[in-house]
Amino acid sequence: VAQMRLLQRVPKLGDKLRAWAALKARRIAAAAVMARGKPLDAKGRRQQLEHVFGEEAKHLAAFARRTGRLPSESGTGQAGRSAAFLTTVLQGLRGSSTAYPPALQSLLLEVLVLKKCLSSAASKRCRQQGYCCPNTKRQRQECDKALVALQVARFPVQSTRLNVTVDDGANADALPSGLSLGMNLSLRHGWTVSRTAMERHGELVRALCRLIREVNPNFQFTSIQVNKNFSTALHCDANNLGPSVITCLGAFTGGALYVHGRGEVDVKERFYEFNGNVPHLTCPFKGERFCVIYFSNQSYAKLPAKDATYLKKLGFNWPSPGRSKEDYGPRAPRLLAAAAALPPALADRAGPISRMCKGGTGTKWLSEAARNAKAAGNAKAPRKNRHTLATTKRRR
């Protein structure tokens, strides 16, 4: 009954649940196929990534030669994939002219109108990014209070965030531990606020809200994601609307934020505003690290008014009505373009190659791997004769 009510309150949620279940099944199948075969080393993974990148670049070049223009971001199918892929490639080239290896740059040169696009549609998404450091005495005091509240809080394992791990949660020692405070999606109640969790971590919630209001009082947010000692793989935030603000507290070294097209950004005790829809990851670190991200959920208008009022009383700066999210295209080609531009020291943070294939599930790659595994199995096992099988059944 609860599931039926949820399906009525959240449109198309049933399709999303079935898609998530299918995605999980395909990733499990991919892990099984890889387990039966020989594990790839760093060189093998890089060759696999360059092969998939080259295929996507060839699709883009073929579209440009066939139509005489670049694909539109509002396109569907392969055109939409190519548009998202190109936008992310341009972000990488803006960050560094040598972001991609020479082998991949030669593929991109096939698109003759690539340079013309650098100052047009792709640059519209380039948001001015910068730091906001706690300089005043009161801001530093709020940072200290927030750190104390973080240190005494308990952080459970978040099994719903395995998509930001390097290996889809296969390593039990690297599972994400954290808290999702504010607006969330519940399978029982739809878009709602877990008042039990908010009351359990009331002091932490109020401290984090005071901190962001003291540092950046005009920033609007509906949710706060807190990660403890967890390093995310290359990913794009799915439900974020507009910019996000990130800061990290604690006694640690390393742990910078890597943003595609920008590079590594030091966020220790600094507040950095960035676009979570651009591929990003966490650099390796040592020590105790608390990462706090403030963002707005794209479905904030669907939250019941009583829950929005409850969050406002706690200190959430609720977004103004009428905001909508831009169309960034599918995530798989964006992750593929960003993974190819990763520096060698972060190459192992790209995540499974199945996330970067068509549909983000690796369907084509999985089918090819399954066919190869099946062919290898058939070559080893002798084929049985139908007559022999029928004779055996009659004897039984």
Side-chain angles (χ1 to χ4, degrees):
V1 177
Q3 187 174 6
M4 290 299 296
R5 290 178 180 174
L6 177 61
L7 294 178
Q8 293 174 358
R9 298 175 71 176
V10 183
K12 298 183 180 181
L13 181 60
D15 296 338
K16 291 184 179 180
L17 292 175
R18 285 187 289 271
W20 291 341
L23 171 60
K24 183 178 179 181
R26 283 192 287 268
R27 286 182 174 171
I28 292 175
V33 171
M34 294 301 294
R36 289 196 297 269
K38 184 179 179 180
L40 293 176
D41 54 4
K43 183 178 180 181
R45 287 195 299 269
R46 186 66 189 180
Q47 291 176 349
Q48 192 179 54
L49 175 62
E50 290 182 357
H51 172 72
V52 180
F53 184 94
E55 292 295 323
E56 197 65 46
K58 289 177 182 178
H59 283 301
L60 176 60
F63 182 92
R65 286 194 300 269
R66 186 173 65 254
T67 62
R69 60 180 180 84
L70 292 177
S72 173
E73 297 175 355
S74 59
T76 58
Q78 184 60 46
R81 278 181 54 84
S82 297
F85 175 77
L86 176 61
T87 301
T88 312
V89 167
L90 294 177
Q91 290 171 346
L93 293 177
R94 277 199 303 272
S96 171
S97 59
T98 59
Y100 294 95
L104 300 184
Q105 290 185 18
S106 62
L107 291 172
L108 296 176
L109 290 178
E110 296 183 26
V111 186
L112 300 179
V113 288
L114 189 62
K115 293 183 179 180
K116 296 181 181 179
C117 188
L118 282 172
S119 59
S120 59
S123 62
K124 294 179 181 179
R125 288 183 177 173
C126 184
R127 178 181 176 85
Q128 186 178 4
Q129 302 167 332
Y131 289 107
C132 185
C133 301
N135 296 322
T136 66
K137 180 179 179 181
R138 183 166 181 176
Q139 290 175 353
R140 291 193 293 269
Q141 289 176 348
E142 293 297 338
C143 276
D144 295 338
K145 293 179 181 178
L147 179 58
V148 172
L150 289 167
Q151 290 173 338
V152 299
R154 293 185 178 182
F155 295 89
V157 174
Q158 293 184 303
S159 58
T160 58
R161 302 189 69 238
L162 299 182
N163 60 310
V164 297
T165 59
V166 177
D167 51 4
D168 286 332
N171 185 7
D173 296 331
L175 295 178
S177 298
L179 292 171
S180 296
L181 305 172
M183 179 180 174
N184 282 295
L185 180 61
S186 169
L187 293 178
R188 181 178 293 272
H189 304 291
W191 293 110
T192 185
V193 175
S194 175
R195 304 206 177 194
T196 303
M198 300 295 285
E199 293 173 359
R200 183 185 300 124
H201 304 284
E203 187 59 35
L204 174 61
V205 173
R206 285 186 284 270
L208 294 179
C209 289
R210 289 195 303 266
L211 177 60
I212 187 63
R213 282 181 171 272
E214 189 66 33
V215 176
N216 190 352
N218 297 324
F219 183 76
Q220 300 176 341
F221 61 99
T222 67
S223 308
I224 306 174
Q225 174 63 40
V226 185
N227 300 325
K228 180 182 179 180
N229 298 335
F230 175 63
S231 181
T232 60
L234 186 69
H235 68 284
C236 301
D237 297 330
N239 296 316
N240 289 26
L241 173 65
S244 304
V245 170
I246 181 174
T247 186
C248 294
L249 304 175
F252 64 93
T253 56
L257 172 70
Y258 175 88
V259 182
H260 176 66
R262 175 65 189 264
E264 296 186 15
V265 181
D266 184 13
V267 290
K268 184 176 181 180
E269 297 182 356
R270 296 183 177 186
F271 291 78
Y272 180 67
E273 186 174 319
F274 73 105
N275 189 347
N277 296 283
V278 176
H280 57 281
L281 59 84
T282 304
C283 297
F285 63 90
K286 293 182 179 180
E288 187 180 50
R289 179 179 182 271
F290 298 96
C291 181
V292 184
I293 305 102
Y294 302 86
F295 65 96
S296 293
N297 193 296
Q298 63 178 351
S299 302
Y300 72 96
K302 299 179 181 180
L303 188 71
K306 61 178 181 179
D307 291 332
T309 304
Y310 174 76
L311 292 179
K312 292 177 184 178
K313 291 181 179 179
L314 290 176
F316 283 71
N317 192 5
W318 202 250
S320 54
R323 296 178 59 186
S324 60
K325 184 176 179 178
E326 296 182 34
D327 184 14
Y328 292 90
R331 279 180 290 172
R334 287 185 281 153
L335 291 175
L336 173 61
L342 285 176
L346 299 176
D348 60 336
R349 309 300 303 168
I353 194 69
S354 59
R355 295 181 189 170
M356 309 169 200
C357 298
K358 187 175 182 180
T361 60
T363 307
K364 181 179 179 181
W365 175 73
L366 287 178
S367 59
E368 293 177 354
R371 283 197 300 269
N372 295 336
K374 186 176 181 180
N378 292 339
K380 296 179 181 179
R383 187 174 181 179
K384 294 185 178 181
N385 193 316
R386 293 183 181 179
H387 176 72
T388 305
L389 292 174
T391 306
T392 305
K393 290 180 179 179
R394 283 198 299 269
R395 288 177 181 176
R396 290 179 180 176

